[in-house]
Amino acid sequence: VGEVGELSEIFQWRGEVPKGLPDWKEEDKTHLGEELSDVLLYLIRLSDICGVDLGKAALRKIELNALKYPVNLSKGSSNKYSDTNTSSNSSSINGGD
């Protein structure tokens, strides 16, 4: 949690950031990489200790998100799935974030 806090602190006052961070200083990008790496390493260690196949879990989550947020209903929208899908579709998927 502490490492995630350090990562989020980097973005706290920046607002939206453009892809590739073209207006960031090189040392800021290096610092970001270090904090991202800290979070990644903790996630890998935590998944190992908990016996979770992180790669498989991530792929499953991508598949679930594809069902929750079909491209034809979600592209270009930040609406929650319950606001974009039909009620029958969202109720069957609502089981786990």
Side-chain angles (χ1 to χ4, degrees):
V1 173
E3 294 299 340
V4 172
E6 290 178 17
L7 175 60
S8 63
E9 191 175 80
I10 293 172
F11 293 97
Q12 186 172 7
W13 306 113
R14 291 187 185 254
E16 283 291 320
V17 294
K19 185 174 182 176
L21 310 175
D23 56 343
W24 284 37
K25 297 176 186 170
E26 203 53 45
E27 58 264 24
D28 292 335
K29 289 181 181 182
T30 299
H31 181 231
L32 173 61
E34 291 168 355
E35 297 304 334
L36 285 167
S37 297
D38 286 342
V39 171
L40 176 64
L41 293 170
Y42 274 102
L43 283 174
I44 292 169
R45 180 70 177 132
L46 181 60
S47 67
D48 181 52
I49 288 173
C50 295
V52 172
D53 181 329
L54 194 55
K56 188 183 286 185
L59 291 173
R60 179 175 184 275
K61 185 63 177 176
I62 290 170
E63 291 170 357
L64 290 173
N65 284 344
L67 294 172
K68 274 186 177 180
Y69 303 99
V71 172
N72 63 324
L73 297 176
S74 303
K75 186 173 182 177
S77 171
S78 60
N79 289 340
K80 185 174 169 110
Y81 67 90
S82 58
D83 295 334
T84 57
N85 291 340
T86 63
S87 60
S88 63
N89 202 11
S90 63
S91 64
S92 65
I93 299 169
N94 199 17
D97 289 320

